[in-house]
Amino acid sequence: MKFPGRRKIKHYFPVNTNNRFDMESSVFGQTNTYVCGIDQNLVDITARVDLSVLNDFGLDKGASQWIDDDTANRLYEFLTDNELIEDQFAGGTIGNTLHNYSVLADDRSVQFGVMSTNIHVGDYAYRYLCNTSSKVDLTYLQPVNGAIGRCFALITDDGERTFGISPGLMNQLSSEFINEEIIAESSALVLCAYTLANPELPIYHAMIHAAELARKHDVPVILTLGTRGLVKAIKEPLLRFMNDYVNVAAMNEEEAEALTGESDPVQASEKMLQYVDMVLLTAGAEGLYLSGYTEKSLARETDNPIRSGAISDFNRFEFSRPLFQKDCEEPMKVYSHISPYMGGPKNIKNTNGAGDGALAALIHDMAANHYHRLVLPTSSKHNKQWITYSSFAQVCKYANRVSFEVLAQSSPRLSRALPEREMSLEDSYWDQ
């Protein structure tokens, strides 16, 4: 486990120099910490085409539309034969999040989903595997005789994008392929609201089964929302699911408004805390918010400037660490906010996946806390069953930094971890 943020090892493992290496040799390496998640595995396929191609395959220009397997197969064969494909990237919200977590933590994650049995070098399924970190354990994927999901982004000469989405067999994940032992021993289970859209699909029942197993074994459940339209369509069952199973919810400001009716991020977060223990809310150019609960007697005031909005002085106690509401004798709501890191990238190359990157950072801090508790259970850091190792404010910084990195590149999946030494920090910081 590579710890998050920009701290030195002594801050995480405060042992004296006489027994440090003995402690490491006797404890390190015996702790198997990982997170797991369920995804609708799909590949994003980008190609430049003439308008005639859209007409030939019955696609409405500039629209996002579903296409059947036969159309998807013919389109993929046409694009391949004519060498029109520019990129084939692994996609999927949970797949992106688990990949980014494994890159950041340099540690294992486990992904549940489906994968084509027959994979050919260079095809979409092959590209999915190539674009996924080797630290992501894919051995528990369910083999299927057919295609995984494919999302075609067809770019015409005028630069407009037309999307054709073929689900293939990505929703055929069976509950039989959800491993109880894997979930029971994980640091967190990561899910997406997309899989709640249709109760008739096998993946819906697999997700419910996984959530029940997580609740049985007291494993935190993290849910990321899909789109504003999806949230509106399944609002009531989504809120019930969150109330019954979810500990941490991640969303953007549009999804939050669709779910709560509140356009203000702090007010939306406050309403969401009726259902969950923590809320990560990304708000585009405004930055991101993190809210949750802490023990009132253990709350710590911030050194940062006090901010007010819909809730007065809402970030006053952002140096506190998050707790599950059930673990608080006197729960107190805490809110933290941070503006985009360095003002945001000069050139934003990709807006897809910035929220997934921020969530991966939060999950990394949660898993690091679990790891540290296993390695040093008597540490003063674990006088309560804290959710994260760091404070609300520190997690905000880390999530913000990772989100920046995703925005500055072309892919929603990190190709490397964050730099060991930030250029924005003075050399004197590292000499302390």
Side-chain angles (χ1 to χ4, degrees), residues 85-312:
I85 296 177
E86 290 188 343
D87 292 305
Q88 297 184 78
F89 285 118
T93 295
I94 304 304
N96 292 342
T97 303
L98 293 178
H99 168 93
N100 289 338
Y101 164 82
S102 284
V103 170
L104 294 169
D106 192 27
D107 210 353
R108 180 188 181 213
S109 61
V110 179
Q111 185 170 333
F112 298 110
V114 303
M115 181 51 62
S116 303
T117 301
N118 295 318
I119 298 176
H120 301 283
V121 174
D123 71 2
Y124 49 87
Y126 175 85
R127 294 291 183 182
Y128 187 96
L129 300 179
C130 289
N131 293 153
T132 301
S133 167
S134 61
K135 295 284 187 177
V136 181
D137 188 345
L138 301 175
T139 58
Y140 294 90
L141 294 179
Q142 174 183 336
V144 292
N145 292 315
I148 58 175
R150 287 170 286 181
C151 178
F152 296 91
L154 306 179
I155 308 171
T156 45
D157 292 338
D158 57 2
E160 190 164 15
R161 290 172 178 257
T162 300
F163 293 94
I165 305 167
S166 170
L169 298 176
M170 70 179 188
N171 293 315
Q172 299 306 307
L173 176 64
S174 168
S175 297
E176 297 175 3
F177 283 83
I178 303 299
N179 187 294
E180 180 172 359
E181 184 178 352
I182 289 293
I183 291 178
E185 296 180 359
S186 66
S187 299
L189 170 67
V190 193
L191 305 172
C192 180
Y194 281 119
T195 51
L196 286 173
N198 188 346
E200 297 181 0
L201 294 174
I203 197 170
Y204 172 91
H205 300 285
M207 180 182 183
I208 297 295
H209 179 57
E212 289 176 344
L213 291 175
R215 184 171 62 179
K216 172 184 174 182
H217 295 285
D218 202 24
V219 173
V221 175
I222 301 166
L223 181 73
T224 176
L225 305 190
T227 62
R228 173 196 284 266
L230 173 68
V231 171
K232 285 184 175 180
I234 63 169
K235 179 177 178 178
E236 294 307 318
L238 180 57
L239 287 174
R240 286 196 299 270
F241 180 83
M242 295 174 79
N243 188 65
D244 292 343
Y245 299 106
V246 178
N247 302 108
V248 180
M251 63 200 75
N252 63 30
E253 73 277 22
E254 292 184 350
E255 296 154 5
E257 183 177 5
L259 199 57
T260 66
E262 299 288 350
S263 58
D264 180 82
V266 178
Q267 287 184 313
S269 297
E270 182 182 35
K271 278 198 172 182
M272 286 308 306
L273 290 177
Q274 300 174 36
Y275 303 95
V276 298
D277 299 289
M278 278 186 73
V279 178
L280 174 66
L281 196 159
T282 54
E286 191 177 335
L288 60 83
Y289 295 80
L290 185 66
S291 57
Y293 292 93
T294 198
E295 182 63 54
K296 188 173 183 178
S297 62
L298 298 176
R300 296 184 296 183
E301 289 201 39
T302 183
D303 289 339
N304 296 326
I306 300 296
R307 299 174 56 87
S308 290
I311 297 177
S312 179

Side-chain angles (χ1 to χ4, degrees), residues 72-91:
N73 290 336
R74 290 189 297 107
L75 177 58
Y76 187 78
E77 184 177 358
F78 173 84
L79 297 176
T80 303
D81 291 345
N82 290 277
E83 300 181 348
L84 297 174
I85 296 177
E86 290 188 343
D87 292 305
Q88 297 184 78
F89 285 118

